């Protein structure tokens, strides 16, 4: 999501006469787009600012912190890091050119952290940064109203709001015309997407996905993320219906224990989640499922942890992002619950979760050996210039030898070997 936001910021600045550079030595303005989701994400920013301080000693430089950390810490950031000139929250990006002027002309610090209820940067066509020319993100909504008790997002990104469907379709069409072949529709909970036009026609997420998929059968459509409580049968059927809607669902579990889920305010139970997994697997053959898991949330017992491991085995996740619980100031958990799982216990539980996921990912990849997939080529492999890499519909990376084939082309690849992270194959004519 930050990547997509940086592309919006890039567009706002280039529309105001600035240009982008890959070379930090030639930059006059540096923005760091920040994440507050866990404490270590924020710590990394302070390390980065120390590096930037070194550049600022050599020349005149405007330094801005944008995104969630700017929103969460506001002026406090100026005290902690005097190198910073600009602080702009996620809804303040249109003000950035004016804020740079304030710093340069008026020699003032500039802070803007008011959250909006309607800003979606709808009509701004993002500049694609470090793009491979094949895959792109499209932000379809902003904010989150779910208030999971551990999560800082509703506080840093504000209320949930959906972007004008017409502008989303226009952006997807434009990308397709420019050679892009894989778009990911982004939001904190895309299943809540809802847009009503002036004539009163409402577009929900399933409808929006279908509209994007109908742009061309050659355009792959992905999405992230859907909340399990809102995973509708309608969405499952839409994914099943269109070949070019990718057969991969990211469905964050967080915990396999109903008790812990209740404290997390996730609004579903273990049984509901298992039912959703079953509905997905029964209706979409060959689907892959990914998840997010938090180890060591407040009050998590050894039994709760075992329930997470057992649910992972039931769901047979193909992929997972796994984290140690990190207290976020201002959240319900920080205010009302005890962070009572010892750090070493959190660490051990996380290691067990990661080890199990390694097994499940390897098992999932082994199942693919001998199968042939349609792969969208994304570029040359880092391992060797003779090899290409791309992804199949299930979001798995496949590496294979390929001569005269270009990024953006589709090829059929048979899987010959695998690791837990990648598939290795060869092109089938
Ligand atoms: N909106 C998405 C998640 C966005 S945050 C969803 O609800 O699915 C990405 C992931 O970060 C979450 O799924 C969660 O697993 C993790 N996360 C969020 N807050 C956290 C915290 N305080 N400590 C550890 N992990 C956290
Ligand atoms: Fe955070 Fe929950 Fe919203 Fe996801 S759904 S962003 S975890 S509050």
């Amino acid at each position: 999501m930050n990547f997509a936001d940086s592309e919006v910021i890039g567009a706002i600045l280039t529309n105001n006469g600035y240009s982008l550079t890959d070379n930090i030595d030639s930059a006059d303005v540096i923005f760091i787009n920040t994440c507050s989701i866990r404490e270590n994400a924020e710590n990394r920013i302070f390390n980065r600012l120390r590096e930037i301080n070194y550049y600022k000693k050599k020349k005149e430089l405007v330094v801005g912190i944008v995104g969630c950390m700017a929103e969460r810490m506001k002026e406090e950031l100026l005290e902690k890091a005097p190198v910073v000139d600009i602080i702009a929250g996620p809804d303040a990006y249109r003000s950035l050119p004016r804020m740079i002027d304030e710093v340069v002309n008026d020699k003032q610090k500039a802070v803007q952290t008011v959250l909006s209820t309607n800003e979606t940067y709808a009509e701004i066509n993002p500049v694609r940064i470090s793009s491979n020319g094949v895959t792109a993100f499209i932000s379809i909504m902003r904010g989150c109203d779910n208030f999971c008790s551990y999560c800082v997002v509703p506080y840093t990104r504000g209320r949930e709001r959906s972007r004008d469907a017409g502008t989303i379709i226009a952006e997807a069409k434009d990308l397709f015309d420019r050679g892009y072949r894989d778009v990911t529709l982004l939001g904190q909970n895309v299943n809540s997407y809802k847009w009503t036009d002036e004539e009163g026609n409402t577009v929900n997420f399933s409808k929006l996905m279908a509209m994007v998929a109908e742009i061309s059968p050659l355009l792959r459509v992905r999405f992230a993320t859907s909340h399990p409580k809102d995973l509708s049968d309608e969405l499952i059927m839409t994914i099943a219906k269109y070949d070019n809607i990718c057969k991969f669902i990211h469905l964050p579990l967080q915990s396999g224990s109903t008790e812990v889920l209740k404290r997390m305010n996730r609004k579903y139970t273990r049984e509901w989640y298992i039912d959703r997994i079953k509905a997905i697997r029964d209706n979409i053959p060959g689907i892959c499922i990914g998840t997010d898991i938090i180890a060591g949330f407040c009050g998590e017992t050894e039994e709760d942890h075992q329930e997470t491991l057992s649910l992972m085995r039931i769901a047979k996740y193909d992929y997972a992002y796994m984290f140690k619980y990190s207290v976020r100031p201002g959240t319900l958990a920080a205010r009302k619950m005890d962070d009572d799982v010892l750090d070493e216990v959190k660490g051990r539980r996380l290691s067990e979760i990661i080890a199990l996921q390694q097994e499940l990912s390897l098992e999932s990849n082994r199942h693919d050996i001998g199968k042939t997939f349609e792969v969208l080529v994304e570029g040359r492999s880092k391992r060797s210039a003779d090899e290409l890499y791309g992804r199949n519909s299930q979001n798995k990376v496949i590496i294979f030898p390929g001569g005269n084939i270009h990024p953006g082309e589709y090829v059929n690849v048979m899987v010959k070997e695998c690791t837990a992270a990648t598939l290795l194959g060869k092109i089938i004519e």
Side-chain angles (χ1 to χ4, degrees):
M1 246 158 244
N2 269 5
F3 194 85
D5 270 11
S6 295
E7 296 186 328
V8 167
I9 294 170
I12 290 169
L13 293 175
T14 47
N15 292 343
N16 279 274
Y18 293 88
S19 58
L20 296 165
T21 175
D22 284 336
N23 178 3
I24 195 165
D25 286 309
S26 69
D28 302 309
V29 182
I30 298 176
F31 286 117
I32 308 182
N33 198 353
T34 57
C35 174
S36 289
I37 201 83
R38 283 167 293 276
E39 196 182 357
N40 60 7
E42 292 194 346
N43 291 341
R44 273 164 44 201
I45 298 303
F46 286 113
N47 293 338
R48 200 69 211 278
L49 283 171
R50 275 191 279 277
E51 255 173 63
I52 286 173
N53 206 8
Y54 158 82
Y55 288 98
K56 203 171 175 174
K57 283 194 184 126
K58 290 199 295 188
K59 67 184 252 192
E60 208 173 319
L61 194 60
V62 177
V63 177
I65 292 286
V66 299
C68 286
M69 206 171 151
E71 190 64 48
R72 193 183 78 72
M73 297 183 70
K74 303 184 170 58
E75 280 87 356
E76 190 192 335
L77 255 175
L78 295 177
E79 286 157 35
K80 287 207 163 153
V83 64
V84 174
D85 303 299
I86 291 176
I87 294 182
D91 291 339
Y93 300 151
R94 289 181 202 262
S95 306
L96 288 174
R98 180 184 52 73
M99 295 171 91
I100 297 173
D101 287 347
E102 270 174 40
V103 174
V104 174
N105 300 331
D106 310 338
K107 307 280 175 250
Q108 278 177 6
K109 305 260 175 186
V111 180
Q112 166 67 271
T113 55
V114 177
L115 286 170
S116 153
T117 51
N118 55 18
E119 176 65 274
T120 58
Y121 302 107
E123 82 301 348
I124 291 178
N125 197 3
V127 290
R128 304 295 160 181
I129 300 173
S130 313
S131 167
N132 58 11
V134 180
T135 60
F137 294 116
I138 303 180
S139 178
I140 64 161
M141 59 195 296
R142 300 183 71 83
C144 181
D145 286 347
N146 284 321
F147 289 93
C148 301
S149 61
Y150 51 81
C151 183
V152 78
V153 169
Y155 306 91
T156 57
R157 301 188 77 93
R159 297 293 53 77
E160 193 170 283
R161 63 214 98 124
S162 296
R163 176 178 167 192
D164 180 329
T167 67
I168 296 170
I169 302 301
E171 188 176 328
K173 275 197 181 129
D174 175 59
L175 285 165
F176 182 74
D177 291 342
R178 287 158 53 200
Y180 286 81
R181 292 292 175 265
D182 180 313
V183 293
T184 303
L185 308 184
L186 288 180
Q188 294 296 351
N189 178 13
V190 287
N191 239 350
S192 302
Y193 177 86
K194 198 169 170 200
W195 173 257
T196 307
D197 67 17
E198 285 104 39
E199 281 135 41
N201 306 309
T202 295
V203 178
N204 68 9
F205 183 59
S206 301
K207 183 85 196 304
L208 181 74
M209 285 261 279
M211 286 158 73
V212 179
E214 279 168 18
I215 290 174
S216 165
L218 288 177
L219 181 66
R220 282 186 170 175
V221 190
R222 303 181 184 277
F223 62 95
T225 299
S226 56
H227 192 300
K229 79 176 162 61
D230 300 318
L231 187 85
S232 64
D233 291 337
E234 185 192 5
L235 179 60
I236 294 176
M237 294 313 166
T238 307
I239 298 170
K241 181 174 159 195
Y242 288 88
D243 282 345
N244 59 332
I245 296 185
C246 288
K247 303 300 177 256
F248 176 74
I249 296 189
H250 187 70
L251 199 65
L253 168 69
Q254 315 301 1
S255 167
S257 151
T258 297
E259 277 308 302
V260 174
L261 289 169
K262 205 190 257 171
R263 280 200 297 281
M264 287 178 161
N265 192 30
R266 288 291 285 180
K267 304 189 181 88
Y268 55 87
T269 60
R270 175 185 174 87
E271 290 67 34
W272 165 269
Y273 189 95
I274 293 172
D275 171 77
R276 293 291 78 197
I277 293 284
K278 192 170 173 327
I280 293 168
R281 296 236 188 253
D282 286 352
N283 289 289
I284 318 174
I287 187 103
C288 280
I289 304 177
T291 201
D292 293 352
I293 296 176
I294 298 177
F297 184 62
C298 307
E300 185 188 75
T301 62
E302 212 46 46
E303 291 71 41
D304 293 323
H305 169 59
Q306 290 302 327
E307 286 205 89
T308 297
L309 295 173
S310 89
L311 207 153
M312 288 173 71
R313 288 198 182 87
I314 294 169
K316 294 197 176 68
Y317 292 117
D318 301 278
Y319 192 82
Y321 293 103
M322 299 151 286
F323 315 101
K324 238 197 238 184
Y325 171 57
S326 157
V327 183
R328 304 316 294 132
T331 58
L332 187 74
R335 284 180 280 125
K336 297 273 161 68
M337 296 175 208
D338 221 5
D339 179 22
D340 54 358
V341 179
L342 293 177
D343 195 55
E344 67 226 46
V345 176
K346 281 183 192 170
R348 194 252 305 148
R349 289 181 187 164
L350 179 64
S351 306
E352 288 175 11
I353 289 167
I354 292 172
L356 174 56
Q357 187 51 48
Q358 279 281 108
E359 265 176 50
L360 295 174
S361 298
L362 185 60
E363 205 174 304
S364 156
N365 283 354
R366 281 201 181 125
H367 271 293
D368 291 339
I369 293 178
K371 288 187 195 157
T372 299
F373 294 100
E374 187 175 62
V375 172
L376 173 61
V377 180
E378 292 183 19
R380 296 257 150 220
S381 154
K382 283 196 197 110
R383 292 192 333 174
S384 127
D386 301 333
E387 288 181 319
L388 298 168
Y389 78 93
R391 278 178 299 157
N392 64 8
S393 169
Q394 288 74 3
N395 210 29
K396 288 190 181 177
V397 174
I398 308 191
I399 297 174
F400 51 95
N404 211 7
I405 294 167
H406 301 105
E409 290 181 29
Y410 286 98
V411 283
N412 289 321
V413 178
M414 188 210 268
V415 178
K416 297 174 70 184
E417 292 170 62
C418 74
T419 65
T422 350
L423 302 175
L424 307 170
K426 69 164 194 189
I427 295 179
I428 301 291
E429 297 301 334

